[in-house]
Amino acid sequence: MAEIVLTVDDEPRFVRLIEANLLSAGYHVLTANNGPEALELIVAKKPNLVLLDVMMPEMDGFEVLDRIREFSNVPVIMLTAKGEEMDRVEGLNRGADDYVVKPFSANELLARVRAVIRRSVVSSTAPKDSPQLHHGDLVIDVAKAEVTLKGQPILLSATEYRLLLQFAHNLGETLTAEYLLINVWGDEYAEDKEILWVCISRLRQKLEDDPKKPEHIVTRSGVGYLMPV
């Protein structure tokens, strides 16, 4: 069954262009021209991925992303304007999984879509007897792809979950930024350290009592990161 991609943008010509490229690649495409319409479609149709433009009237992409993250961990790629670095960082900080800078080629867009959807498939192949991984008061149920902290569920994006698993499966080992980028995001992200920094920061905000003094994900300055034994 084809993956469903929701494209959200207030420029009809741009939406039609993205829709044509996605359809040619075999995706099922939904479109929305504004935030409220997008939120309704996410609830009703449960897409596999959302392409979300930042610059929209009334409710901008950041506001829509905030609303999405209140109830869903659906992967989101932000569509940002060329040169707007702060928009990229802001989107990642608020829970986006990736970004594409306008103008972009069809090949670049499809590569990002494929990569994010690939990362979102985190539990379908996990055996039913997969163990629970523990680190202090943090518990990762691998079979269910669920995370709890002090007994309370923690909502992680698919990318955040995959990153956390890298640390849990390599307990006590220092992992370099390049290793994490390749193994979580893919080979094409090997130099994109900014996306790693933001994702680690978001994980710490969700998992640490004091993100400035982390216990679950620790930085080894100039070397990488690790989950201490």
Side-chain angles (χ1 to χ4, degrees):
M1 185 175 179
E3 289 96 348
I4 302 172
V5 179
L6 170 61
T7 300
V8 189
D9 198 303
D10 64 318
E11 298 181 38
R13 291 179 60 187
F14 194 71
V15 170
R16 288 195 296 270
L17 178 62
I18 294 178
E19 182 178 20
N21 287 314
L22 291 172
L23 288 172
S24 68
Y27 295 101
H28 179 73
V29 183
L30 302 173
T31 63
N33 297 317
N34 55 63
E37 184 180 349
L39 293 168
E40 290 180 6
L41 283 170
I42 292 169
V43 172
K45 301 297 185 180
K46 295 180 172 52
N48 301 97
L49 173 70
V50 178
L51 297 175
L52 180 59
D53 187 45
V54 171
M55 297 300 294
M56 294 188 295
E58 298 182 33
M59 182 184 290
D60 67 21
F62 297 137
E63 294 177 87
V64 178
L65 180 59
D66 288 343
R67 293 285 300 278
I68 292 171
R69 287 292 175 252
E70 290 175 3
F71 67 89
S72 174
N73 63 354
V74 60
V76 175
I77 297 177
M78 302 298 293
L79 307 178
T80 69
K82 184 177 181 180
E84 296 297 331
E85 181 179 355
M86 289 306 299
D87 281 354
R88 301 199 295 274
V89 174
E90 182 74 9
L92 294 170
N93 275 326
R94 293 167 93 149
D97 294 83
D98 205 344
Y99 59 83
V100 180
V101 180
K102 296 180 178 179
F104 47 77
S105 68
N107 287 339
E108 179 186 3
L109 175 65
L110 292 174
R112 295 279 178 162
V113 167
R114 283 191 293 268
V116 173
I117 289 179
R118 182 183 67 239
R119 295 200 300 269
S120 72
V121 184
V122 294
S123 62
S124 61
T125 59
K128 293 183 178 179
D129 60 348
S130 294
Q132 289 187 340
L133 305 176
H134 295 257
H135 190 257
D137 51 15
L138 176 68
V139 179
I140 306 169
D141 189 318
V142 178
K144 298 179 181 178
E146 293 177 351
V147 177
T148 57
L149 182 67
K150 300 178 181 178
Q152 298 300 312
I154 303 297
L155 181 64
L156 301 181
S157 72
T159 302
E160 290 166 349
Y161 179 76
R162 287 174 67 96
L163 179 59
L164 181 60
L165 278 184
Q166 286 294 323
F167 292 115
H169 284 311
N170 295 279
L171 201 63
E173 296 183 32
T174 299
L175 306 177
T176 66
E178 183 180 14
Y179 173 91
L180 291 168
L181 286 163
I182 290 173
N183 284 275
V184 176
W185 281 267
D187 291 343
E188 63 270 35
Y189 292 81
E191 302 300 322
D192 198 348
K193 290 187 171 70
E194 183 178 67
I195 202 169
L196 173 63
W197 297 335
V198 174
C199 196
I200 286 178
S201 176
R202 281 184 56 79
L203 269 179
R204 286 173 171 165
Q205 291 293 330
K206 294 179 178 183
L207 303 179
E208 306 286 1
D209 289 334
D210 182 355
K212 294 182 180 179
K213 298 177 180 179
E215 297 179 358
H216 298 298
I217 301 174
V218 176
T219 300
R220 287 289 179 260
S221 183
V223 182
Y225 306 88
L226 82 158
M227 181 175 281
V229 176

